[in-house]
Amino acid sequence: DTQEKETITPERAEEAKLKAKYPNLGQKPGGSDFLMKRLQKGQKYFDSGDYNMAKAKMKNKQLPSAGPDKNLVTGDHIPTPQDLPQRKSSLVTSKLAG
Amino acid sequence: NKSRPHSRGEYNVYSTFQSHEPEFDYLKSLEIEEKINKIRWLPQQNAAHFLLSTNDKTIKLWKISERDKRAEGYNLKDEDGRLRDPFRITALRVPILKPMDLMVEASPRRIFANAHTYHINSISVNSDHETYLSADDLRINLWHLEITDRSFNIVDIKPANMEELTEVITAAEFHPHHCNVFVYSSSKGTIRLCDMRSSALCDRHSKFFEEPEDPSSRSFFSEIISSISDVKFSHSGRYMMTRDYLSVKVWDLNMENRPVETYQVHEYLRSKLCSLYENDCIFDKFECCWNGSDSAIMTGSYNNFFRMFDRNTRRDITLEASRESSKPRAILKPRKVCTGGKRKKDEISVDSLDFNKKILHTAWHPMENIIAVAATNNLYIFQDKIN
C-alpha cells in the first residue's frame, strides 16, 4: 500500500521473512561469525603423526587391502587427505540456526 | 581490414595449460584448491605473453610463447634425436631452420609462494612493470616480478583480537598511471586509496570512499549486499568502478563522499534477498569492466544475463549468453526481466530466473568493441555488429 508513510521497504520485508523462518538468527550477519567462516574455508582433519606412523609401519608389513568400510580410518590404514570426509564448517549450519 | 584489424575473426583456443594443482597443507590441515581466482596480463614487451595467475595461496608467472620453426640438420644427432657415431661423421653441415606447425608453449617462470595466510582474492600489476600486489582477506603484499622469496607487506588489517574482526579486504588494484597509488575495497562497501610514498605500511589510507547510508533503511542484509566484489580503475585513471551485489558505482577519485554514478544491475532482486541468502547466492562475487574509452561499463547477472551501461547516453541493455540465444553471426536480442504482475511476451519473470547460471566474469577488449563473457563452462565472444 504505497500511500502509507510506514511502508515497509522490500529489504525489510525480506528480513522479516528470514527472521520468521530462523528466529535464532544472530544479530551480526556481516559480523565476525560470518567473516570467520570465510577465513576458515578448507579446514580438514588430518593428523600428520598418524600418517607418518602408519607409513613407517607399512614399510615392515604388507599393505592391507582396503576394508569394506572405506570411511573407517584406523591406525593401520594410512589416512590420506582424500579419504577424510570434509569436516563441515560449523558455521554453515549456524548461519541459519544461530 | 586495416581499420578494424580485430573484427569478424573467429576466436579459437590458443593455449591450454594446468596452472595450479591441488595441494594439502599438512601443518595447518588445510586443503588448497587448484581453482584460479585471478589472472592478470603483464604488458607485452616481446613476442611472448606473460601472465600472473593465482589460486588461494600461490601466484605464478607464466610465459606463453610460440614456436613455429625447428632446427634440422644437426651434426651430432639424427633427426629422431639419436646420437650419431662421431667416427662416422665425414662432413660438417650447418643446421637450418625449417617451419613447423605452430606450437604454443606455456612455461612457469616464477612461483611466488608462502606469503599469504588467508585466501588471495586479487593480484594487480603495477604501472612500473616491475612490481605487483597480491591481496588476501586481511593483508596486501607487494612483490617484485623477479624476486620470489620475498614480499613486502603494505596493508595489514588483522586485528590483534580476531573477535574484533568486522571487515575483510575484497579486492585491490594499482592505479593505471601512478605507481605509488593503489586502492582496496572491503566487505563493508568502502574503498581506501593508499599512497606508498607516505609510509612503508599503508594501514592509514590517503582517501576513504564511502557512500552514506540512510540509517532508517538499514536491514539484516544491508552490509552483505554492500560488500564490494570488484574494483576497477578507469583507463584514464580519473575514475574507479565498484561492484556490489545489486549495483555498479562509478567514483571520481577527487570525491570521497559519494559515487558520481550508480547503475542498478538487478534491483528486482531486492525483494528476493531472503531466498538469495538461503541459497548463498547473496555471496556471489560479480566482476565489472570498462570499455577501452571508459564510455561504457559491463557486468554480469543471473540467468546468463549480462548488462552494459553507456555512461554518456545513460542507456542500458541486458543481453543473454546462452547457446539458444546466440547462433553465430546472429544479433543478440535485448532481454527484459518483468517485475510486476503482467508479464509481456519475451519478458522473463523474476521467479523464472536460473540462479545457477551466473555470469561472474566479463572482459572488454581494450581497443575494440569485442567482449568475452564467461557463462559457467562456456566462453562467449561477442562483437559489435558491422553496418
Side-chain angles (χ1 to χ4, degrees), chain B residues 169-206:
Chain B
I169 297 169
T170 52
E173 196 180 52
F174 266 120
H175 190 278
H177 312 307
H178 304 303
C179 57
N180 52 298
V181 173
F182 66 93
V183 292
Y184 68 93
S185 58
S186 84
S187 52
K188 277 187 159 175
T190 64
I191 309 103
R192 288 169 175 82
L193 183 144
C194 301
D195 186 333
M196 295 196 291
R197 294 173 306 188
S198 59
S199 67
L201 189 58
C202 296
D203 277 0
R204 282 189 15 228
H205 52 262
S206 299

Side-chain angles (χ1 to χ4, degrees), chain B residues 8 33 53 81 91 130 217 231 281 292 294-295 306 313 381:
Chain B
R8 290 295 120 180
E33 289 179 21
S53 76
E130 286 187 347
S217 67
V231 63
C281 282
D294 298 335
S295 63
F306 58 100
T313 65
I381 301 197

